[in-house]
Amino acid sequence: GQWQEHTPPFYGSVDLRNSGFKLAPVDMNLFPGGFNNLNSAFLPLCVQAAMTAIEKICPSAKSLLLIPENHTRNLFYLQNVAQLVTILRLTGLNVRLGSLLPEIDKPTPVELPNGKTLLLEPLLRSQYRLGVEGFDPCAILLNNDLSAGIPEILQNLEEQFVLPPLHAGWAVRRKSNHFAAYDEVAGEFASLVGIDPWQINPYFAVCDSVNFHERQGEECLASNVDAVLGMIRDKYREYGIEETPYVVVKADAGTYGMGVMTVKDASEVTGLNRKQRNKMSVIKEGMSVSQVIIQEGVHTHERVGKGEKAGVAEPVVYMIDRFVVGGFYRVHSGRGKDENLNAPGMHFEPLAFETSCSLPDHGQNPDAAPNRFYAYGVVARLAQLAASLELERTAPVET
């Protein structure tokens, strides 16, 4: 019923953590970059969901311009772009790739390890429209999270849909806005099904004026870390949980697992050494960190793989429109169950999701694969709904 009232983002991916006693989203990405990691069996789901999403915005859509990140050397990322192009073309769309990179001043082919080739083209701007040579698209799909700001060439496009909207980019977006919306969604859902909302919702707090280099905001950090840890301890006592509570301090804007630290005591955020301050003060595109979210840490009890590749794992669920279209595990053999897994050394296990997230099996126990994956899909859809509320509430007011 909520989707009658709210428009879901075009796509999204949710990082989940499952501790057995708690299953909660810890991050929501509105520019997902891992479609190449999905099991190929999920391709028909992706295509159908993309058709639904596109029909809403351009009922007569024939053409779409995809703008990727500026990672022309990151071949893993470009395989994601190639998979997105495949999905969109299978919906019947004519798809071209426009690059924001100034050095792409003519059509430039990029060879991928799997034998495919992507053609990156320079963007062409008229007064109110954006395209590439000989191509005037109905809509523009961003797979670029705009961490470095909103380029002028994307502004004031009055006649074309830009998906997701520009204010979904990290130049404007804040994780705390997302989790404030998720707090509401989780509360409503929990009352409907009769559970404690804490079981699907991480506590969080925010510090606004932080400067790690100048040690500014340490008192705010320490007091909020202490407060969130106190709330977690109370819940652990209530449920007889013996784990050690922890929080994750991370940049309120940004991605790629940068600007993240795990903390078990407030004393750990005062007097950080230079290496720690450097790590926390900068995120993608060299942007400095001034606002952080202190989020309840959710242990992961999942392990995936055998031998040297075995490691702690967290599920990542992918959605297009309001539909779950697949997922995979992010696995890190060098990290613990209370650490950030989005770090160098991680790998992805697409085959672990051997069934879709849409079909529970009432004949099996709650933790059997189809039912666990279904629970992942439910919580991921709640996060997608929260993202739609977040985007509505942070939309710039038109004058």
Side-chain angles (χ1 to χ4, degrees), residues 68-72 77 100-102 143-151 169-171 253-259 281-289:
E69 292 276 3
N70 296 341
H71 303 325
T72 49
Y77 170 72
L100 288 166
L101 284 167
N143 197 243
N144 182 312
D145 65 23
L146 308 178
S147 286
I150 300 170
W170 286 123
T255 183
Y256 289 105
M258 299 174 78
S281 59
V282 177
I283 50 169
K284 187 180 164 213
E285 306 276 4
M287 304 303 285
S288 60
V289 174

Side-chain angles (χ1 to χ4, degrees), residues 5-251:
E5 298 170 37
H6 305 287
T7 303
F10 183 86
Y11 51 13
S13 68
V14 182
D15 294 357
L16 299 173
R17 303 276 286 203
N18 177 7
S19 63
F21 56 85
K22 183 175 184 119
L23 167 62
V26 293
D27 231 335
M28 171 89 215
N29 186 354
L30 295 178
F31 302 88
F35 278 95
N36 53 311
N37 293 318
L38 296 181
N39 187 327
S40 57
F42 296 142
L43 183 60
L45 287 177
C46 293
V47 174
Q48 283 182 311
M51 281 173 138
T52 302
I54 289 156
E55 278 167 11
K56 280 185 194 169
I57 47 148
C58 297
S60 58
K62 303 267 189 309
S63 56
L64 180 137
L65 180 67
L66 178 60
I67 299 181
E69 292 276 3
N70 296 341
H71 303 325
T72 49
R73 291 187 190 84
N74 184 335
L75 296 178
F76 288 113
Y77 170 72
L78 291 175
Q79 284 174 307
N80 155 72
V81 174
Q83 186 63 11
L84 259 177
V85 169
T86 298
I87 291 165
L88 294 165
R89 284 183 177 154
L90 286 170
T91 69
L93 284 171
N94 184 6
V95 181
R96 306 256 293 261
L97 289 170
S99 176
L100 288 166
L101 284 167
E103 60 264 33
I104 303 287
D105 54 7
K106 61 181 187 296
T108 306
V110 181
E111 302 286 330
L112 300 181
N114 60 4
K116 290 186 178 177
T117 302
L118 287 178
L119 186 67
L120 295 174
E121 300 184 67
L123 292 167
L124 294 177
R125 173 72 194 247
S126 63
Q127 187 174 2
Y128 296 124
R129 297 184 74 81
L130 184 66
V132 293
E133 184 70 44
F135 188 72
D136 184 20
C138 158
I140 294 149
L141 179 62
L142 296 174
N143 197 243
N144 182 312
D145 65 23
L146 308 178
S147 286
I150 300 170
E152 197 174 339
I153 199 167
L154 293 178
Q155 294 177 26
N156 305 312
L157 290 169
E158 295 181 9
E159 298 175 3
Q160 286 164 306
F161 287 97
V162 179
L163 304 165
L166 295 177
H167 67 280
W170 286 123
V172 179
R173 188 175 178 230
R174 295 294 175 266
K175 294 174 187 177
S176 50
N177 288 334
H178 174 77
F179 282 100
Y182 183 78
D183 200 43
E184 289 176 42
V185 170
E188 265 187 70
F189 177 79
S191 67
L192 275 174
V193 298
I195 60 169
D196 180 347
W198 175 76
Q199 293 177 296
I200 55 168
N201 187 10
Y203 289 132
F204 76 95
V206 184
C207 282
D208 283 329
S209 305
V210 176
N211 185 321
F212 284 98
H213 280 310
E214 295 176 12
R215 298 188 181 282
Q216 182 185 323
E218 282 188 350
E219 304 78 17
C220 174
L221 267 176
S223 64
N224 277 291
V225 166
D226 208 35
V228 176
L229 283 171
M231 292 193 293
I232 304 167
R233 281 191 203 99
D234 289 345
K235 280 294 179 186
Y236 281 16
R237 269 195 297 274
E238 182 183 336
Y239 288 103
I241 293 160
E242 310 233 322
E243 297 282 3
T244 305
Y246 73 100
V247 296
V248 178
V249 178
K250 52 189 173 184

Side-chain angles (χ1 to χ4, degrees), residues 18 20 301-302 329 361 364-373 375-376:
N18 177 7
H301 79 167
E302 303 226 32
Y329 280 105
D361 183 344
Q364 296 193 55
N365 72 46
D367 200 44
N371 296 330
R372 192 163 77 250
F373 296 157
Y376 294 165

Side-chain angles (χ1 to χ4, degrees), residues 14 16 18 23 39 42 45 301-304 313-319 323-330 349-361 364-382:
V14 182
L16 299 173
N18 177 7
L23 167 62
N39 187 327
F42 296 142
L45 287 177
H301 79 167
E302 303 226 32
R303 292 185 70 80
V304 168
E314 63 188 16
V316 184
V317 176
Y318 272 60
M319 287 160 295
F323 305 102
V324 171
V325 295
F328 52 81
Y329 280 105
R330 178 184 286 121
E349 294 278 352
L351 298 177
F353 276 61
E354 65 266 14
T355 60
S356 86
C357 299
S358 321
L359 299 170
D361 183 344
Q364 296 193 55
N365 72 46
D367 200 44
N371 296 330
R372 192 163 77 250
F373 296 157
Y374 178 69
Y376 294 165
V378 170
V379 174
R381 280 179 286 167
L382 294 177

